[in-house]
Amino acid sequence: MSEVPAEIEPAMKPIVSPIRNAPLRVCDAMRDRKEDDREMTSSHVAESDFTLGTLRTTASHTIGIPHLMELLREVPSDAPAGQYRQAVVEDNVLGRPTLAGRQRSFRHLRELYFLDLGRAEFTALRYFWDIDPASRPLLAGLLAFTRDEVLRASFAAVADLPVGSGVTSADLTAAVAAQFGNEMSESTLGKTGRNTGACWTQTGHLAGRAKKVRTEVEARPVAIAYAAYLGHLAGGRGLGVLDNPWSQILGLAPGRTLEALRDAHTQGLLDLLVAGNVADVSFPTFGGIA
């Protein structure tokens, strides 16, 4: 649970949950909450298993959102992990010309997105994926952001730029170098600038090929809900489910967290309870309460 500024929510008010199709009251939300021993996901991944990844996939490749889209189009949402490998390596659904290329593509996608319903992050991704196709680039970007530390570092060159501002590979390289310059060669740093520029173009934060410019991202309710669920897995509670590094890429205006969560709640993507200055967020689809 999290406090809501009094000027935003001055009175107690039960919110009807479209997920349960029944009124929810504050007493229900507060009763018998024992968070210490609760498993948070239907896929049996405890919240303590969630950590920010230290991958550096983007030092040599992009986050491959077009390939992920193609793969998830071909593989059923309830498929076991082995079916993803079969689709990429054996069936060559991504159209790679060599076996080595197919194996490499699968390895990178698995590193960034898990491709395994035994991981709560991927289970939620697949659930939200078919609800709003327009949100797919941002859904993929959110998960990749939690997995790849180079991608996270590069966002410093993008985050606060006004829409229409130019972004160069050198800008992105400098952002990565500020964190990892002592650990990467000059040639590798140069690749990170090009690769992360392509990544942020795939997510919708940049546009253009040779000359890239900052664009405005539309964080639709599905992306809000997924970012919040990742925040929940990371230990966030109440409004704190959107107080984390990856939620920055949603581009939410300051003070809009409650409104964004309400939008997701209205579409039945999460449950939201507000009582005075206290907010409670839950994810009944996945068995998690924040």
Side-chain angles (χ1 to χ4, degrees):
M1 288 180 281
S2 174
E3 289 193 357
V4 179
E7 65 271 17
I8 296 178
E9 191 61 39
M12 180 177 293
K13 151 190 309 193
I15 298 177
V16 175
S17 165
I19 297 177
R20 295 194 180 105
N21 196 30
L24 296 174
R25 301 188 182 279
V26 174
C27 58
D28 298 327
M30 296 179 176
R31 184 182 300 128
D32 297 328
R33 294 286 173 83
K34 299 188 185 224
E35 296 179 351
D36 289 342
D37 58 3
R38 183 188 298 122
E39 283 194 347
M40 291 300 178
T41 71
S42 57
S43 56
H44 308 297
V45 178
E47 59 183 312
S48 59
D49 291 334
F50 181 96
T51 57
L52 282 175
T54 57
L55 293 173
R56 296 185 179 181
T57 301
T58 49
S60 58
H61 295 80
T62 75
I63 56 176
I65 292 178
H67 283 167
L68 180 67
M69 289 182 172
E70 180 66 25
L71 179 59
L72 298 192
R73 181 164 52 243
E74 295 294 329
V75 178
S77 61
D78 60 350
Q83 195 163 335
Y84 292 93
R85 185 187 187 282
Q86 177 180 326
V88 176
V89 178
E90 299 178 23
D91 300 338
N92 195 20
V93 298
L94 302 182
R96 308 299 288 176
T98 66
L99 176 60
R102 296 195 291 273
Q103 291 172 332
R104 185 166 54 251
S105 293
F106 174 70
R107 182 175 71 253
H108 293 149
L109 290 173
R110 183 179 58 187
E111 287 175 349
L112 290 166
Y113 305 110
F114 296 114
L115 305 181
D116 182 354
L117 294 177
R119 293 293 311 200
E121 302 96 323
F122 183 66
T123 297
L125 177 76
R126 286 245 56 173
Y127 173 77
F128 290 126
W129 194 259
D130 293 328
I131 294 176
D132 181 15
S135 291
R136 288 172 180 173
L138 200 49
L139 291 174
L142 284 163
L143 184 50
F145 191 90
T146 71
R147 301 288 295 143
D148 191 290
E149 63 181 3
V150 170
L151 185 67
R152 290 197 297 274
S154 73
F155 191 62
V158 177
D160 297 325
L161 284 179
V163 172
S165 299
V167 183
T168 66
S169 293
D171 296 329
L172 293 156
T173 296
V176 175
Q179 291 194 35
F180 305 114
N182 295 330
E183 304 173 31
M184 296 182 179
S185 67
E186 186 175 342
S187 62
T188 299
L189 283 170
K191 291 177 183 177
T192 67
R194 294 188 293 274
N195 290 336
T196 56
C199 293
W200 294 121
T201 303
Q202 291 174 15
T203 62
H205 290 79
L206 300 178
R209 294 179 64 85
K211 182 179 180 181
K212 296 186 180 296
V213 297
R214 183 69 157 96
T215 54
E216 185 174 2
V217 172
E218 181 185 7
R220 297 159 68 91
V222 161
I224 298 294
Y226 186 53
Y229 183 62
L230 293 176
H232 165 75
L233 291 177
R237 294 296 177 263
L239 300 186
V241 294
L242 290 179
D243 183 16
N244 48 60
W246 53 91
S247 292
Q248 297 173 24
I249 76 173
L250 298 173
L252 294 178
R256 194 179 171 266
T257 297
L258 181 58
E259 179 186 352
L261 289 170
R262 275 192 170 130
D263 290 343
H265 165 83
T266 299
Q267 294 199 14
L269 304 170
L270 53 79
D271 273 5
L272 174 66
L273 301 170
V274 177
N277 65 344
V278 177
D280 180 60
V281 183
S282 62
F283 302 88
T285 299
F286 309 114
I289 301 174

